[in-house]
Amino acid sequence: MPATHSRPSLRQQLNTITSRKDSSREFLVQRGVLSSTIVCGCSRPMALRPCSATKSADLYVFWCPVCRKNRSLRTNSVLAKSKLSFSTFIEIIFQVSSKTTTNVEIGGLTGVSVRTIQELRASLSAAVGIYILNNPEAIGGAGLTVEVDEAMFGKRKYSKGAYREGV
């Protein structure tokens, strides 16, 4: 019988990526979530350099050899103000994209507060919005029909109470 090579499941791939800090960091750099290089205030490129865990939990910092300043790996990213580990961030993104889990369930699975997950969702939504504005892409094309349906928006009276049917 011929050997069949099955592809690892998405969960197995996720476990491989999140099993080590280096693989999580590299995954985020490859996907453009983290920068691979940044420019220092002195206009010189900063180099990625290992550091002690006491200096940065990410174990790497950007370092300028000229002015000797350090910058976080998280600089100019959606993780800039977050203390989440890279592997936890990837796990949350996986759970959010599955659309089958609520913030409470994601919090239970990852050990992260619901508020943190809500804030992360908001910052991801803003980042996606900026990307879409900066990279417009036409939908449809030759021989395709694009139909846009009406939207219905609900409202609350005085920002309290029961949800009211919208227009």
Side-chain angles (χ1 to χ4, degrees):
M1 176 178 250
T4 58
H5 296 284
S6 64
R7 237 179 115 186
S9 71
L10 200 52
R11 172 50 73 185
Q12 290 170 328
Q13 291 176 28
L14 182 70
N15 289 342
T16 301
I17 292 166
T18 59
S19 63
R20 292 185 12 252
K21 282 188 178 186
D22 280 345
S23 57
S24 297
R25 178 186 50 79
E26 192 58 38
F27 177 82
L28 293 173
V29 168
Q30 288 172 355
R31 301 306 184 279
V33 176
L34 296 174
S35 297
S36 58
T37 60
I38 61 173
V39 177
C40 183
C42 68
S43 301
R44 296 211 179 7
M46 298 180 90
L48 193 60
R49 171 178 161 168
C51 68
S52 68
T54 56
K55 188 160 190 98
S56 171
D58 302 333
L59 302 179
Y60 284 89
V61 293
F62 286 112
W63 182 74
C64 179
V66 177
C67 64
R68 300 186 183 276
K69 288 184 181 177
N70 291 324
R71 302 266 311 264
S72 170
L73 277 177
R74 299 165 184 255
T75 301
N76 301 329
S77 77
V78 73
L79 288 165
K81 295 179 181 178
S82 175
K83 293 182 180 180
L84 290 173
S85 70
F86 295 151
S87 58
T88 302
F89 173 75
I90 294 169
E91 178 68 36
I92 291 171
I93 298 302
F94 175 77
Q95 295 297 335
V96 166
S97 64
S98 71
K99 295 184 181 180
T100 58
T101 52
T102 64
N103 289 350
V104 174
E105 291 170 331
I106 294 170
L109 290 169
T110 59
V112 176
S113 74
V114 173
R115 183 172 179 176
T116 300
I117 294 168
Q118 290 169 338
E119 290 172 359
L120 183 59
R121 277 188 193 249
S123 61
L124 289 172
S125 180
V128 167
I130 290 168
Y131 177 83
I132 289 171
L133 287 174
N134 292 335
N135 302 292
E137 194 172 308
I139 55 174
L144 295 174
T145 303
V146 177
E147 294 183 22
V148 179
D149 199 0
E150 295 178 18
M152 179 184 248
F153 298 95
K155 61 181 182 178
R156 295 183 187 274
K157 194 171 182 179
Y158 307 113
S159 301
K160 294 183 181 180
Y163 177 77
R164 296 178 56 207
E165 199 62 39
V167 287

